[in-house]
Amino acid sequence: MLCAIGVVMVYSASAYWIKNQYGWAETTVLMRQLTYVLLGLLLAWFFYYFKLSVFRSPGWQKFMLAVLFIMLLYLTVLSHLDPAAAINGATAWIRIGPIQIQPTEFAKLGVIIYLAHMFASRQDQMAAPDFSIMQLAQPVLMISLILILVWFQPDTGGAIIIAGITLVMLAASGISLKYGFGFAAFIAAILGLGYYIINRLPLADLASKSYKLRRLIAAVHPFAMRKLEGNQVVNSLVAIAHGGLFGVGLGNSSQKLGYLPEPYTDFILAVITEELGLIAPWSSSG
């Protein structure tokens, strides 16, 4: 059901944009999305019968990490050798013929598999009274390297998501509560300090600030950045407000008609909410 809703909404959000922006057929993204859905279903069927012991094997773990690091290092080198390869300010994609691969998405899944293996193999140690956080030095180092490589693409959002995944995995690992509360307090302090600093930055001459700083400022002050990095956030809020509780009807979004950049990708939720109302994401997430 979710796949079917996703296909319909990708078509609704993309048809006008790709025809007017790129001159493509209105069904171009629809057909691509259908292909990805079918491929995803085939992979889901394949991994349903896949032996978990393969993921736990040291050979698989080393191979997975090696492939991840090679892809992320390639993007880091590419960003310096060919700045024109950047899309929307980030060198985050590897093109193989007609296919584009975003290594950060593989890194998210890889981090889950890797940490699940590392925590499961150290479960007895982590539950012991004499457990020391230094016993997790290897996974901490690996995740830190992945975060640094993703951050320098620059993919700030991807790095934050991977950090969040790491914290959730750590909380579910059975680690001592004193470490769990300690990590939570540390992260809360960092976020609070970051918000305090950003909230007090002068909003004059925003265009001269670095890309990462502008993204962070836009998260706190989107309307002050509406002509820069806050443009997409502001237009998405307008779309959500326009849709209200029950929406304006399937296909009737106004924000996808050139106001919301790339309406069928990261901010497709704004189009869904405008057309189907707030009740749509609430009901689908439940």
Side-chain angles (χ1 to χ4, degrees):
M1 177 62 76
L2 287 177
C3 287
I5 294 172
V7 168
V8 171
M9 292 312 304
V10 164
Y11 173 66
S12 176
S14 66
Y16 177 88
W17 176 268
I18 62 173
K19 182 178 180 180
N20 288 272
Q21 189 76 8
Y22 307 118
W24 299 349
E26 294 181 349
T27 57
T28 301
V29 175
L30 169 66
M31 298 309 296
R32 186 168 64 190
Q33 185 70 13
L34 282 171
T35 302
Y36 291 155
V37 168
L38 292 174
L39 180 60
L41 291 173
L42 286 173
L43 287 173
W45 176 82
F46 173 76
F47 282 108
Y48 179 78
Y49 293 100
F50 203 74
K51 292 183 178 180
L52 289 177
S53 58
V54 175
F55 290 118
R56 297 191 180 109
S57 67
W60 165 259
Q61 295 286 327
K62 292 177 182 177
F63 172 76
M64 178 185 66
L65 289 173
V67 171
L68 279 178
F69 279 118
I70 289 171
M71 290 194 297
L72 293 172
L73 283 170
Y74 170 78
L75 290 177
T76 303
V77 173
L78 183 64
S79 66
H80 289 86
L81 297 181
D82 185 14
I87 299 176
N88 294 330
T91 309
W93 298 85
I94 297 175
R95 182 180 291 276
I96 304 175
I99 300 174
Q100 290 190 106
I101 296 175
Q102 190 173 12
T104 301
E105 298 303 315
F106 289 95
K108 295 171 186 176
L109 178 60
V111 165
I112 293 173
I113 295 173
Y114 171 71
L115 288 180
H117 169 72
M118 296 303 292
F119 291 155
S121 62
R122 290 167 167 76
Q123 196 163 20
D124 293 337
Q125 300 174 25
M126 294 172 69
D130 59 346
F131 170 75
S132 169
I133 197 65
M134 292 306 297
Q135 293 174 260
L136 297 178
Q138 180 185 342
V140 168
L141 175 62
M142 290 295 180
I143 301 303
S144 298
L145 289 174
I146 291 174
L147 284 172
I148 290 170
L149 290 172
V150 172
W151 179 267
F152 281 106
Q153 291 181 11
D155 186 355
T156 308
I160 291 173
I161 291 172
I162 291 174
I165 290 172
T166 303
L167 290 174
V168 171
M169 295 292 291
L170 188 64
S173 66
I175 195 170
S176 172
L177 286 178
K178 67 177 181 180
Y179 289 111
F181 284 124
F183 277 117
F186 176 74
I187 296 300
I190 293 294
L191 292 176
L193 179 62
Y195 179 82
Y196 177 83
I197 293 172
I198 292 170
N199 202 38
R200 278 159 176 72
L201 286 174
L203 299 180
D205 197 22
L206 292 171
S208 65
K209 300 184 186 299
S210 70
Y211 172 75
K212 289 191 183 73
L213 184 56
R214 292 201 307 269
R215 288 289 302 274
L216 291 172
I217 294 173
V220 179
H221 300 291
F223 288 91
M225 299 281 289
R226 61 186 178 277
K227 294 183 179 180
L228 296 168
E229 275 69 22
N231 178 46
Q232 198 150 345
V233 176
V234 169
N235 281 293
S236 68
L237 292 173
V238 171
I240 292 170
H242 184 214
L245 186 60
F246 298 106
V248 296
L250 182 62
N252 294 329
S253 166
S254 59
Q255 288 302 110
K256 70 183 181 184
L257 305 180
Y259 300 101
L260 189 64
E262 306 289 348
Y264 58 93
T265 55
D266 292 358
F267 279 75
I268 191 173
L269 180 63
V271 177
I272 295 173
T273 306
E274 185 180 11
E275 295 189 352
L276 304 182
L278 283 168
I279 196 169
W282 284 348
S283 58
S284 61
S285 61

